[in-house]
Amino acid sequence: MKKFLLHMLTWWNGSTPGTRFYTWRKGTRVGEDEFGNVYYEGDKDSEGRTRRWVIYNGLSEASAIPPGWHGWMHHRTDISPADETYEPRDWQKPHEPNHTGTGAAYRPKGSILNPAHRPRVTGDYDAWTPGS
């Protein structure tokens, strides 16, 4: 019962009832990624493109979409990663979720959350001043 209410009343947990109803009526399942997110497409939007959407496995977090699916979602390619054999290049890193607000977040030297000090300015930069 708790999970049912959670999905009914919150948009950040998977999908809302409206999205589930639209998916049931108009959606065609295209594929699923390694995180369990399920991708759909349906009728045309106002620009004549096929509508594409994702139902997240868990919290609705846009950074949880891997690069291949991101390209498909944004119409950069018409071929979904489920329809092709994709081999990542040597220089590509594995997907990671957004770490903002966690202990794994990037904190550069000089940040108030990083005790390390920024390197001193070397003199190769001249600050702009009005009238100069």
Side-chain angles (χ1 to χ4, degrees):
M1 181 67 172
K2 181 180 177 182
K3 188 174 181 180
F4 174 75
L5 286 175
L6 194 64
H7 282 277
M8 288 293 291
L9 302 174
T10 60
W11 60 265
W12 54 88
N13 286 297
S15 64
T16 61
T19 302
R20 288 190 185 273
F21 182 71
Y22 185 81
T23 301
W24 173 71
R25 295 230 15 228
K26 307 242 181 189
T28 302
R29 183 185 165 121
V30 175
E32 184 174 331
D33 65 22
E34 62 266 26
F35 305 113
N37 301 323
V38 183
Y39 298 87
Y40 295 89
E41 64 183 358
D43 56 359
K44 303 286 184 188
D45 65 9
S46 60
E47 296 178 11
R49 299 180 303 185
T50 304
R51 292 181 193 271
R52 296 175 177 172
W53 67 95
V54 59
I55 295 187
Y56 294 96
N57 178 22
L59 296 177
S60 297
E61 173 59 52
S63 71
I65 297 177
W69 282 105
H70 181 270
W72 178 81
M73 288 282 293
H74 292 276
H75 298 276
R76 292 187 177 141
T77 179
D78 288 331
I79 301 169
S80 75
D83 295 335
E84 68 179 355
T85 304
Y86 177 75
E87 291 293 328
R89 301 214 174 27
D90 296 338
W91 49 265
Q92 288 179 305
K93 294 182 178 180
H95 174 72
E96 288 189 27
N98 184 351
H99 295 297
T100 302
T102 70
Y106 174 65
R107 294 181 174 98
K109 291 178 182 177
S111 164
I112 60 173
L113 297 174
N114 185 346
H117 294 287
R118 285 181 43 192
R120 298 212 37 95
V121 177
T122 61
D124 60 348
Y125 172 77
D126 292 323
W128 177 83
T129 55
S132 61

